[in-house]
Amino acid sequence: MKLATLKDDTRDGQLIVVSRDLRHAVIADAIAPTLQRVLDDWNFYAPQLEALYDSLNQGRARHAFDFDAHACMAPLPRAYHWADGSAYVNHVELVRKARGAEMPPEFWTDPLIYQGGSDDLSGPEDDIVCVSEDDGVDFEAEVAVIVTDVPMGTTPDAALRAVRLVTLVNDVSLRNRIPAELAKGFGFYQSKPSTAFSPVAVTPDELGDAWLDGRVHRPLTVHWNGKRVGQPDCGTDMVFHFGQLLAHVVRTRNVRAGTILGSGTISNTDRSKGYACIAEKRMLETLEHGEPKTAYMQFGDRVRIEMFDANGKSIFGAIEQAVVPLERTA
């Protein structure tokens, strides 16, 4: 099934069920008011939502309306936990080279994960608000999963069974702030502003054969200012699948329902697939020309991130954002 969160006058929005073709939706408040409520008791609520989803797809749902991604918040507008991995080690290697940092060999065997801000997650068409273009604004196109409870010490195979939903991510980075922050030895903070999510989150069965071995085996299409710059395959070159990433997260603590875990920027070693973040493009330019040629995003720039099924139909809807300056108040 496909779920989304509609904007209303609350912080957490209103849960809706979206049709498979993303054309129609129906409010699900008679079942549960929010997605977090569903995740807290998935076995109770999910069958009811599935029935509503079936009814919607068959054209029998009462009070259905046209689905509008612009009216959506992130599926979870604020989450108990947002963590992002770097499952595509090729991306890690390139970005570290761009910073002049060596690639530790254990990165190929032990996942790299950071914990980001989860109290203010952006909707699919919310602006990327920045203080300055000089911060090096970069998009990062990813896939993420939303899970139920995962106890400490859970194995990778068992952790995969906790995945309830899959969604898309734009993990915005301020590249020029990263080196100084990491040099302090305490991780990202100011260099990672609000993360954006696709309008729709889907259950893994909606992906069919594309959901295999804890990976999404579909290309992720990225447009920058209307030009397609990347279409890397999400299943290719993903060194750590989502079960392995989750097992790493719960090695020393529990994970609770509503946790979102990102894959890290999609990155293929096949350069013909393009790029899912500007930093990779700049690194390749540096290797070829001795310096980067491509600038980071400027005010007014737009990015669009979307995944299509084998029939060319959008699965999650699109993330489409513009970079805008912060409007300061006195």
Side-chain angles (χ1 to χ4, degrees):
M1 63 182 162
K2 299 190 175 189
L3 304 175
T5 295
L6 202 62
K7 295 175 182 176
D8 63 7
D9 57 358
T10 69
R11 291 181 184 270
D12 299 311
Q14 191 169 37
L15 178 67
I16 60 174
V17 174
V18 182
S19 63
R20 181 169 287 113
D21 60 9
L22 304 183
R23 294 181 60 188
H24 301 104
V26 62
I27 292 172
D29 60 356
I31 298 171
T34 65
L35 180 55
Q36 182 60 51
R37 177 73 65 84
V38 175
L39 292 162
D40 284 337
D41 196 354
W42 182 266
N43 291 338
F44 177 74
Y45 291 112
Q48 300 175 63
L49 292 170
E50 285 278 8
L52 182 57
Y53 180 62
D54 291 341
S55 176
L56 179 63
N57 285 321
Q58 294 165 13
R60 296 186 293 102
R62 298 180 61 189
H63 309 301
F65 54 90
D66 291 341
F67 176 65
D68 179 11
H70 181 72
C72 289
M73 307 171 80
L76 282 175
R78 50 178 177 171
Y80 287 115
H81 188 180
W82 153 241
D84 199 19
S86 276
Y88 301 85
V89 182
N90 176 67
H91 167 77
V92 183
E93 188 170 37
L94 286 173
V95 172
R96 287 181 71 86
K97 281 183 179 178
R99 297 203 306 265
E102 291 295 322
M103 174 76 167
E106 60 268 22
F107 279 19
W108 291 96
T109 57
D110 194 34
L112 183 66
I113 294 177
Y114 83 90
Q115 185 168 339
S118 62
D119 57 322
D120 184 31
L121 301 176
S122 294
E125 298 187 16
D126 290 346
D127 290 333
I128 301 171
V129 182
C130 299
V131 174
S132 171
E133 294 174 325
D134 294 336
D135 284 338
V137 186
D138 197 357
F139 51 82
E140 292 194 61
E142 308 183 11
V143 175
V145 296
I146 305 175
V147 303
T148 187
D149 291 339
V150 188
M152 183 168 58
T154 299
T155 64
D157 287 346
L160 269 182
R161 294 195 288 272
V163 172
R164 293 293 178 264
L165 297 164
V166 184
T167 188
L168 302 182
V169 179
N170 182 17
D171 179 41
V172 179
S173 289
L174 304 180
R175 296 293 184 189
N176 294 338
R177 287 185 175 270
I178 289 176
E181 273 202 321
L182 295 188
K184 295 179 180 179
F186 219 51
F188 300 118
Y189 200 86
Q190 291 181 351
S191 54
K192 287 292 187 179
S194 180
T195 303
F197 293 82
S198 57
V200 171
V202 312
T203 49
D205 62 286
E206 288 291 328
L207 298 170
D209 293 341
W211 177 252
L212 179 67
D213 299 328
R215 298 172 175 87
V216 178
H217 294 266
R218 291 300 304 163
L220 187 58
T221 304
V222 183
H223 285 85
W224 180 14
N225 293 333
K227 178 184 177 182
R228 192 178 75 185
V229 296
Q231 201 171 31
D233 186 84
C234 300
T236 304
D237 301 313
M238 187 178 186
V239 176
F240 306 104
H241 63 64
F242 278 111
Q244 292 168 311
L245 294 176
L246 280 165
H248 180 86
V249 171
V250 300
R251 187 172 297 170
T252 60
R253 56 174 162 172
N254 299 314
V255 155
R256 295 306 184 193
T259 290
I260 310 170
L261 178 61
S263 65
T265 304
I266 312 301
S267 178
N268 290 168
T269 56
D270 180 356
R271 299 301 169 214
S272 70
K273 301 297 184 182
Y275 55 92
C277 73
I278 302 170
E280 280 197 19
K281 174 67 170 174
R282 286 168 58 89
M283 182 56 210
L284 293 171
E285 291 170 342
T286 299
L287 292 174
E288 183 177 354
H289 305 291
E291 62 180 3
K293 303 292 185 180
T294 303
Y296 288 116
M297 299 181 80
Q298 307 295 302
F299 292 142
D301 279 9
R302 302 188 68 87
V303 62
R304 182 181 178 94
I305 299 167
E306 194 166 11
M307 182 180 288
F308 302 91
D309 65 19
N311 296 314
K313 303 296 185 182
S314 183
I315 300 172
F316 304 92
I319 299 172
E320 187 159 12
Q321 298 180 278
V323 180
V324 302
L326 174 67
E327 295 183 6
R328 298 183 182 274
T329 57

